[in-house]
Amino acid sequence: MDPLQAIRIGFDAAKIGFEAQSVIAMRLAGIAGLWNVPENENVRMVQEKPMAVLEAGHAAFTALLQGHSPDRVVSESMARIGHHTQANMARLSKRGPSWF
């Protein structure tokens, strides 16, 4: 195991956490009418969760079957979750506040 892998996993987890909290904040602001979000955002935020979990589980299981180390299994799974949080944050942050 790479001794720095635990630090990388920690940074990845922090990044995912920051992105997820930012997305939640923008979605809540959208519900309150303070952030410009698409009309289907409330449905989308519920529908995307099962697919993200399945993708992360598939990535972890594939890494396990390939004989990768536990840290690599975690990293593969987190990469899939991070892909979704990063995409949501980029998509919603472009829309900006809705003042009126």
Side-chain angles (χ1 to χ4, degrees):
M1 179 174 149
D2 179 8
L4 296 178
Q5 189 62 20
I7 295 171
R8 286 187 199 106
I9 289 172
F11 278 125
D12 289 344
K15 181 179 178 271
I16 289 169
F18 173 77
E19 290 168 346
Q21 291 301 312
S22 297
V23 168
I24 291 168
M26 286 183 273
R27 284 176 168 164
L28 287 174
I31 290 170
L34 302 173
W35 198 263
N36 185 14
V37 295
E39 289 183 24
N40 68 338
E41 190 64 29
N42 294 338
V43 173
R44 183 178 183 153
M45 71 181 168
V46 173
Q47 288 179 339
E48 71 187 9
K49 304 296 185 280
M51 185 56 72
V53 170
L54 284 174
E55 286 179 20
H58 182 264
F61 190 64
T62 301
L64 258 173
L65 289 178
Q66 293 173 346
H68 291 294
S69 61
D71 58 317
R72 177 77 184 269
V73 171
V74 170
S75 291
E76 293 293 326
S77 177
M78 287 177 57
R80 295 309 312 148
I81 297 292
H83 172 77
H84 288 279
T85 58
Q86 184 176 18
N88 280 336
M89 186 169 158
R91 180 177 55 81
L92 290 172
S93 63
K94 286 180 188 176
R95 299 186 67 90
S98 173
W99 301 111
F100 300 102

